[in-house]
Amino acid sequence: MEKVVSGIRPTGNLHLGNYFGAVKSFVAMQDQYQCLFFIADWHSLTTHPKPENIQASARTILAEYLACGIDPTKAPIYIQSDVKETLELYLYFNMNIYLGELERVTTFKEKARQQPDNVNAGLLTYPTLMAADVLQHRAHKVPVGKDQEQNMEMMRKCARRFNNIYGVEFFPEPQNFYFGEKALKVPGLDGSGKMGKSTGNCIYLRDDDKTITKKVMKAVTDSGPTEPNSPKPEVIENLFTFLRIASTPDTYQYFDEQWNNCTLRYGDLKKQIAHDLVEIVAPIRAKIEEYSANTELLDKIAREGAEVARASASETLKAVREIIGFRK
Ligand code: TRP
């Protein structure tokens, strides 16, 4: 079975954009690939050197992913900082990558602009740590978004360069991986293109029914259709995207017809969307609460995940040390 590895930054809670855009496909993947997921807490130090409660944030994410359906018996999930083997590989990759290559990475340049007082070496070597995350397992596939394209390019460069320097065919060149249907892009509720934390237009998996309903009812609309069969403006198209995501095809058609014959009432449409989103979120939220209350179970799952990851990484590192020529 091919190996899939992906990291999750421990920033904030999961929202519907994360759920439909990524997490759902992680859940589907675990049956067909040998998946390993981890929470990238070391990476978070590049921007937050003094985290408030790093263990609590890792548990929060862990509870949310498990609640969404990640099954740790199929797809172990671990915390990056529990697997110290990663650091050794990170060091080797840092020896083979040039300063200029790292400086050219767009995310580095952006972060350097955002935090001019803390342009630290970890920020610069973010891509080599990411390469170590994946290549320590010699994984082939990495399910990440478009924003990670350049980091993936650097990862392949690390693999290629190691192979070239030592004249081996040891590391595969991991590919970005899109599983199943095209990831759904969940629109924002404020008329903006995309649901995202930075835009503050999110419905979180932890939101209660009332909050979800309130957020949906407040979604931006216009003054309504005036001519039959007119094209939908973006804000209305966004609402219909929610219908497509959350409701049945029949329901979609019902409201689409109303739009086309100018009888659509946005209030009804929103009520429907809110109702159907609550149906999806409520059971997940219940599971999040259940997991969150069971710190012991969460820690056990993370510990067991780390064991699997360490076994896989130490096998790789043993070979790497031998290839470079270190004492066994
Ligand atoms: N950089 C990734 C992100 O911001 C998180 C990440 C860290 C990651 N290490 C990884 C993703 C390894 C995939 C593989 O989303």
Side-chain angles (χ1 to χ4, degrees):
M1 247 203 292
E2 267 186 312
K3 268 194 187 177
V4 171
V5 172
S6 197
I8 304 146
R9 254 177 313 176
T11 49
N13 297 323
L14 288 181
H15 52 71
L16 285 176
N18 304 130
Y19 181 67
F20 288 106
V23 186
K24 257 190 105 172
S25 72
F26 285 13
V27 174
M29 260 182 261
Q30 61 187 353
D31 290 315
Q32 289 177 45
Y33 295 91
Q34 194 184 333
C35 295
L36 264 176
F37 299 120
F38 68 92
I39 296 161
D41 57 349
W42 274 329
H43 272 115
S44 70
L45 294 179
T46 61
T47 50
H48 298 82
K50 193 166 179 282
E52 223 146 77
N53 193 340
I54 204 157
Q55 290 183 49
S57 357
R59 282 193 200 109
T60 299
I61 306 261
L62 189 55
E64 293 186 357
Y65 273 77
L66 294 168
C68 289
I70 299 286
D71 175 353
T73 64
K74 294 180 189 160
I77 177 160
Y78 65 96
I79 295 167
Q80 187 183 32
S81 61
D82 281 341
V83 181
K84 299 182 188 62
E85 282 76 0
T86 317
L87 297 177
E88 188 176 348
L89 193 56
Y90 172 52
L91 180 137
Y92 299 141
F93 287 155
N94 280 336
M95 302 296 172
N96 301 343
I97 290 291
Y98 304 117
L99 178 60
E101 290 172 324
L102 293 167
E103 280 173 337
R104 275 197 293 278
V105 175
T106 316
T107 38
F108 169 70
K109 288 193 275 193
E110 256 168 39
K111 283 275 155 30
R113 213 173 307 127
Q114 283 166 13
Q115 49 183 67
D117 299 330
N118 183 20
V119 186
N120 61 75
L123 211 49
L124 183 72
T125 55
Y126 189 110
T128 48
L129 180 55
M130 195 165 148
D133 288 330
V134 171
L135 290 169
Q136 66 182 340
H137 304 300
R138 297 170 79 191
H140 300 89
K141 291 183 153 56
V142 185
V144 282
K146 268 227 159 327
D147 61 324
Q148 299 296 308
E149 208 85 56
Q150 249 186 330
N151 286 336
M152 290 302 301
E153 202 44 66
M154 291 300 281
M155 188 183 295
R156 287 188 284 273
K157 198 172 267 189
C158 286
R160 226 166 15 233
R161 198 157 291 160
F162 182 94
N163 291 347
N164 285 339
I165 292 175
Y166 300 103
V168 289
E169 284 286 331
F170 184 69
F171 285 119
E173 291 182 30
Q175 302 301 315
N176 303 37
F177 180 45
Y178 303 96
F179 182 79
E181 304 156 48
K182 219 169 137 257
L184 280 168
K185 203 174 111 194
V186 180
L189 291 161
D190 52 355
S192 77
K194 197 176 160 202
M195 185 176 285
K197 208 176 38 206
S198 52
T199 32
N201 58 6
C202 295
I203 292 175
Y204 291 96
L205 297 181
R206 285 179 189 260
D207 283 348
D208 60 30
D209 298 356
K210 236 182 168 166
T211 307
I212 295 172
T213 307
K214 219 185 315 166
K215 285 180 178 175
V216 174
M217 297 312 286
K218 275 205 326 221
V220 177
T221 52
D222 63 2
S223 50
T226 46
E227 274 182 52
N229 302 312
S230 43
K232 298 183 187 91
E234 196 185 348
V235 281
I236 306 307
E237 191 56 56
N238 283 353
L239 286 180
F240 274 84
T241 302
F242 275 103
L243 266 190
R244 203 174 293 126
I245 289 169
S247 310
T248 63
D250 284 355
T251 309
Y252 183 91
Q253 211 185 335
Y254 171 81
F255 284 104
D256 196 43
E257 271 163 25
Q258 291 200 336
W259 164 266
N260 281 330
N261 59 31
C262 302
T263 53
L264 177 62
R265 283 168 30 189
Y266 291 142
D268 296 341
L269 173 63
K270 289 179 177 178
K271 263 186 219 149
Q272 180 75 44
I273 293 170
H275 172 271
D276 293 342
L277 286 178
V278 163
E279 295 268 290
I280 294 172
V281 174
I284 299 176
R285 184 183 62 235
K287 283 192 206 138
I288 293 177
E289 283 163 8
E290 214 178 296
Y291 276 115
S292 297
N294 196 344
T295 312
E296 241 167 75
L297 175 64
L298 291 176
D299 289 352
K300 179 169 173 278
I301 289 170
R303 248 195 329 271
E304 287 171 357
E307 264 168 48
V308 175
R310 266 198 305 271
S312 146
S314 58
E315 198 185 317
T316 303
L317 264 301
K318 192 166 161 260
V320 165
R321 290 176 70 93
E322 226 172 291
I323 290 169
I324 300 177
F326 287 114
R327 185 146 48 88
K328 270 191 215 170

